[in-house]
Amino acid sequence: MTDLVIRNARLMTCDPSLFGLGVIDPGAIAITGGVVVWVGSDGEHPRDAKREVDAGGRLVTPGLVDCHTHAIFAGDRAHEFAMRAEGRSYLEIAAAGGGIAATLGPTRAASDAQLIAMMSERLATARAGGTTTIEVKSGYDLTVAGELRLLRCIAQADRTLRMRVVPTLLAHLVPPERAGDREAFVRDLCEQLIPQAARDKLAASVDVYCDEGAFTLEESRAILGAAHRAGLRVRGHVGQFKDLGAAELIADLGGLSADHVEQISDQGIAALARAGTVAILLPGACVQLRLPVPPIAKLRDAGVPMAIASDLNPGSSHCETLAIQMWLATTHYAMTVDEAWLGVTRHAAKALGLSGPGTLVPGGPGDVIVWRCEEPAQVPYRYGASQVEAVFVAGEP
Amino acid sequence: MTDLVIRNARLMTCDPSLFGLGVIDPGAIAITGGVVVWVGSDGEHPRDAKREVDAGGRLVTPGLVDCHTHAIFAGDRAHEFAMRAEGRSYLEIAAAGGGIAATLGPTRAASDAQLIAMMSERLATARAGGTTTIEVKSGYDLTVAGELRLLRCIAQADRTLRMRVVPTLLAHLVPPERAGDREAFVRDLCEQLIPQAARDKLAASVDVYCDEGAFTLEESRAILGAAHRAGLRVRGHVGQFKDLGAAELIADLGGLSADHVEQISDQGIAALARAGTVAILLPGACVQLRLPVPPIAKLRDAGVPMAIASDLNPGSSHCETLAIQMWLATTHYAMTVDEAWLGVTRHAAKALGLSGPGTLVPGGPGDVIVWRCEEPAQVPYRYGASQVEAVFVAGEP
């Protein structure tokens, strides 16, 4: 007996064995025990479903995958956003208590329960916007014990919310109190934090922020090397402000993703393409910080898989939803509609090292969105308000 | 007896006699018979309310005013959006049935009931996003009888939806079938459409699209002159692609607004400032069409009041909500948070010739939004998902 059939759908499977977005129209999908058991043409679907949903010809897609977020933090930085809109300088904002310090202090001071509650509210907003798999990075404590605590809180969200939460250990910055002590801090990351997170299975990968004002290429090499030795996959914040050559480093380690890439050399692009590393594009943060557009055409021509994410974070992109990022990708970034869709489904899953989410194929998870529109292009085209009609995770609403 | 008190609010009044956004914190507001009867500090509010809402310290603002929309149309142009994202040229899109023709045909073919239903769904989405007053332009029929029909449909939405709908007659383009007959078409607008719309009170103002590919400056002068003689206020789509000098024309006629203004001369800006004409900025369409940013700093320095609108239309901005336009204004356009707020409240109302909406002052309409956040900056800062908690129009939810 089948648990759920969704039928009479414009069904976007994102099946890599089909052309483009793998649309079956009219299509149907069957889910049992939380897993997709059948995908095909409407009318040929199993007739023994406990529940049958008639999508009325509307668009039905995989649950969206948000592959780059900093969803666990406390403190509000709207004031800093307002100062930046007024044209105030970074130094003026820092002098007024803005910047990373405005997140570090409140995050360190918050209880586990508070952090989990704040993150869960953000994740619930993401889910309402169609996200069913979400990556969450640590990175707003910057002590060994504190980062482990953030990862444990992320794991608890995993148990309480009906979403797939993928935890990442982020080597974000050197905290202010250890500015005179960088080498020892990097050693703490490599010898304590990363091995312990790996041992306790608290992170699926390690991310390093390799840029001006963050970690150098040499420090990044040490950090990702430690991750590699601990058996964790690697990724990096790369070239948001300046290209330090980290794309090549990540590719050499068989890394999952190089993120931001507003600045990346032709060699860096070629390295990503050779390694099959995903470029995660974050157009909201790019617009908010008024950065140049990444070299989309070059990434496309080189065959680098491109994902799109919200970059949900308190400093440069306080956004839980992917539809608006798809609009920015297809307008400001001049990506195609198919690229935008694969960027929040199959390619985003690939960036997390997952093969099931982001597609609707037999054996994969029954994570499905029913939209209030009919065409894939309508999701980015009709921007600004949610078009999500229903969200199913593992076949359950 | 007071109908409604909303108390314990961070109350943004936008009262022009107060500083900035006119915030009273903690503030309260009282509404009777649909009209604001009292505004002041929490605790001093009337105690005889039939209904009292405790805002719990959250932000309470005037209902938003969307002062530039083309919300009445039929037909879908998502396919054209996808083609543009693929880098296809205007000619290729037109050859595939895109462009204005893709809206004209379906709009002319739709029944009144169909047009009203489609528009009403869009207006309901706008209302859910906090818009309580919305301008709607005609312009997608381009015959005298058809444009009058669109204006009558807009008037019917006014009667069925609990929103304030402000109708505008838009002289949009010369329709394809009259391309060889421009002079006579402009004469029809001036001698038939505009006088009849004025006589039947179907439009509050006349808007002309003065740009390359639309009406020339001389044609615009004739059209707005006819509007002026018919006792209607004037406004214009100005300098979206090329500055033809229409800002000066509109200012000379004491016009309500000059809209888009990606291209505007220093003389044009000075003329708007002298006349008190509002510049209506449409950042969503600007991003979607990859146009240059308007000269915000010059408009600000000249003292031109700036409004922000959705430009809801099927070609360049299929968006019903103002919050995302506020994020674009404060990031891509480098406007301040206060400018963004006044742009969707008091200045937007001024652009429609209204003095009550867009503010919360005694004697004004009881149109109020309760938000899920506390600070004015949080509305643009937390972009992508709606933060609207409750909408009141004339004191009713």
Side-chain angles (χ1 to χ4, degrees):
Chain A
M1 185 141 184
T2 308
D3 289 342
L4 171 69
V5 161
I6 303 174
R7 56 167 298 271
N8 191 18
R10 186 159 306 198
L11 186 71
M12 181 198 296
T13 64
C14 299
D15 182 341
S17 72
L18 300 177
F19 176 75
L21 300 175
V23 174
I24 304 172
D25 180 27
I29 182 167
I31 297 167
T32 297
V35 173
V36 176
V37 291
W38 180 92
V39 174
S41 293
D42 188 66
E44 297 171 14
H45 56 274
R47 302 294 173 153
D48 62 344
K50 287 183 217 159
R51 183 178 178 200
E52 189 174 292
V53 173
D54 182 341
R58 281 171 300 182
L59 182 67
V60 171
T61 73
L64 307 186
V65 180
D66 195 344
C67 59
H68 181 133
T69 89
H70 306 254
I72 188 161
F73 63 87
D76 186 87
R77 285 163 68 182
H79 181 62
E80 179 180 332
F81 176 89
M83 287 183 76
R84 198 182 290 129
E86 282 167 16
R88 305 292 187 86
S89 73
Y90 177 81
L91 285 178
E92 287 175 294
I93 290 168
I100 184 91
T103 301
L104 273 190
T107 302
R108 288 171 174 178
S111 69
D112 289 7
Q114 288 170 327
L115 286 172
I116 293 167
M118 286 183 278
M119 173 178 56
S120 297
E121 194 180 327
R122 293 175 196 127
L123 267 51
T125 303
R127 193 184 195 277
T131 299
T132 56
T133 297
I134 189 163
E135 187 249 25
V136 182
K137 303 177 197 295
S138 71
Y140 284 121
D141 187 284
L142 307 182
T143 67
V144 170
E147 291 290 310
L148 290 169
R149 177 175 86 110
L150 294 182
L151 290 169
R152 277 189 218 103
C153 289
I154 295 169
Q156 281 192 258
D158 200 8
R159 286 199 286 269
T160 54
L161 281 172
R162 289 206 321 96
M163 288 176 84
R164 302 179 199 273
V165 180
V166 179
T168 297
L169 190 168
L170 171 60
H172 201 173
L173 295 161
V174 179
E177 72 270 15
R178 300 202 58 182
D181 187 27
R182 289 184 73 94
E183 257 183 70
F185 180 70
V186 172
R187 211 158 44 233
D188 288 351
L189 295 183
C190 295
E191 296 175 7
Q192 296 179 49
L193 178 56
I194 291 170
Q196 198 167 331
R199 193 170 55 239
D200 296 350
K201 299 191 191 319
L202 290 173
S205 67
V206 171
D207 187 343
V208 67
Y209 189 10
C210 181
D211 212 320
E212 268 192 341
F215 291 103
T216 66
L217 184 63
E218 279 317 301
E219 289 166 343
S220 300
R221 193 187 308 279
I223 291 163
L224 296 187
H228 200 63
R229 285 192 300 279
L232 296 173
R233 302 295 301 269
V234 306
R235 64 176 72 248
H237 286 59
V238 164
Q240 186 178 19
F241 301 101
K242 190 166 178 186
D243 177 19
L244 302 182
E248 292 90 323
L249 168 64
I250 290 163
D252 285 350
L253 292 168
L256 288 167
S257 70
D259 305 29
H260 289 289
V261 297
E262 275 85 352
Q263 308 291 338
I264 185 169
S265 68
D266 291 351
Q267 296 90 316
I269 292 172
L272 296 182
R274 271 196 306 275
T277 300
V278 177
I280 298 181
L281 305 168
L282 305 157
C286 178
V287 167
Q288 187 159 325
L289 298 178
R290 293 173 216 156
L291 300 176
V293 171
I296 302 298
K298 285 186 176 184
L299 290 163
R300 176 189 295 137
D301 292 347
V304 176
M306 294 184 281
I308 299 160
S310 70
D311 199 12
L312 168 56
N313 81 81
S316 60
S317 179
H318 200 307
C319 176
E320 292 97 342
T321 52
L322 286 168
I324 189 65
Q325 305 297 335
M326 293 172 75
W327 178 75
L328 290 169
T330 45
T331 59
H332 193 62
Y333 273 19
M335 293 173 73
T336 69
V337 168
D338 282 18
E339 285 172 337
W341 267 109
L342 292 176
V344 297
T345 54
R346 197 172 79 217
H347 289 169
K350 178 176 166 66
L352 297 180
L354 305 172
S355 60
T359 58
L360 293 175
V361 292
D367 302 353
V368 185
I369 310 298
V370 182
W371 299 84
R372 272 192 286 273
C373 55
E374 294 79 37
E375 299 273 2
Q378 287 168 337
V379 171
Y381 168 62
R382 298 181 186 172
Y383 72 102
S386 175
Q387 295 179 76
V388 171
E389 171 79 19
V391 178
F392 296 85
V393 173
E396 298 284 336
Chain B
M1 186 139 184
T2 309
D3 288 341
L4 171 69
V5 161
I6 302 174
R7 57 166 297 270
N8 192 18
R10 186 160 304 197
L11 185 71
M12 180 198 296
T13 64
C14 298
D15 181 342
S17 71
L18 299 177
F19 175 74
L21 301 175
V23 173
I24 305 172
D25 181 25
I29 183 167
I31 297 167
T32 296
V35 174
V36 176
V37 292
W38 181 92
V39 174
S41 293
D42 187 66
E44 296 171 16
H45 56 274
R47 302 294 174 154
D48 63 343
K50 286 183 217 159
R51 183 177 178 202
E52 189 174 292
V53 172
D54 183 340
R58 282 172 300 183
L59 181 67
V60 171
T61 74
L64 307 185
V65 180
D66 194 345
C67 59
H68 182 134
T69 88
H70 306 254
I72 190 162
F73 62 88
D76 186 86
R77 286 164 68 183
H79 181 63
E80 177 180 334
F81 176 88
M83 287 183 75
R84 197 182 290 129
E86 281 166 16
R88 306 291 188 87
S89 73
Y90 177 80
L91 285 178
E92 287 176 295
I93 290 168
I100 184 92
T103 301
L104 273 190
T107 302
R108 288 172 175 178
S111 69
D112 289 6
Q114 286 170 328
L115 285 171
I116 292 167
M118 285 184 278
M119 172 178 58
S120 297
E121 195 180 327
R122 294 175 195 125
L123 267 50
T125 303
R127 192 184 196 277
T131 298
T132 56
T133 297
I134 189 164
E135 188 248 25
V136 182
K137 302 178 197 295
S138 72
Y140 285 121
D141 187 283
L142 306 183
T143 67
V144 170
E147 290 290 310
L148 290 169
R149 177 174 85 111
L150 293 182
L151 290 170
R152 275 188 220 103
C153 289
I154 296 169
Q156 279 192 259
D158 200 7
R159 286 199 286 271
T160 55
L161 281 171
R162 290 209 316 96
M163 288 176 84
R164 303 178 198 274
V165 179
V166 179
T168 297
L169 190 168
L170 171 60
H172 201 173
L173 295 162
V174 179
E177 71 271 14
R178 300 202 59 182
D181 187 28
R182 289 184 73 94
E183 258 182 71
F185 181 71
V186 172
R187 209 159 45 234
D188 288 351
L189 295 183
C190 294
E191 295 175 8
Q192 295 179 49
L193 178 56
I194 291 170
Q196 199 168 331
R199 193 171 55 241
D200 296 350
K201 298 193 192 316
L202 290 173
S205 68
V206 171
D207 188 342
V208 68
Y209 190 8
C210 181
D211 212 320
E212 267 191 341
F215 290 104
T216 65
L217 185 63
E218 278 318 300
E219 289 166 343
S220 300
R221 192 187 309 279
I223 291 163
L224 295 187
H228 200 63
R229 284 193 300 279
L232 296 174
R233 302 296 298 269
V234 305
R235 63 176 72 249
H237 287 58
V238 165
Q240 186 179 18
F241 301 101
K242 189 165 178 186
D243 177 19
L244 301 183
E248 293 89 323
L249 168 64
I250 290 164
D252 285 350
L253 293 168
L256 288 168
S257 70
D259 305 28
H260 289 289
V261 296
E262 275 85 351
Q263 308 291 339
I264 184 169
S265 67
D266 291 352
Q267 293 90 318
I269 292 172
L272 296 182
R274 269 196 308 275
T277 300
V278 177
I280 299 181
L281 305 168
L282 305 157
C286 178
V287 167
Q288 187 158 324
L289 298 178
R290 295 175 214 153
L291 301 176
V293 171
I296 302 298
K298 284 186 176 182
L299 290 163
R300 175 190 295 138
D301 291 347
V304 176
M306 294 184 281
I308 298 161
S310 70
D311 199 12
L312 167 56
N313 81 82
S316 60
S317 178
H318 200 308
C319 176
E320 293 97 341
T321 52
L322 286 168
I324 190 64
Q325 304 297 335
M326 293 172 75
W327 178 75
L328 289 168
T330 45
T331 58
H332 192 62
Y333 273 19
M335 294 173 74
T336 70
V337 167
D338 282 17
E339 285 171 338
W341 267 109
L342 292 176
V344 297
T345 55
R346 198 173 77 216
H347 289 169
K350 178 177 167 65
L352 297 180
L354 306 172
S355 60
T359 58
L360 293 175
V361 292
D367 302 352
V368 185
I369 310 298
V370 182
W371 299 84
R372 273 193 287 274
C373 55
E374 294 79 38
E375 299 273 1
Q378 287 168 338
V379 171
Y381 168 62
R382 298 181 185 172
Y383 73 102
S386 175
Q387 295 179 76
V388 171
E389 171 79 21
V391 178
F392 296 86
V393 173
E396 298 284 336

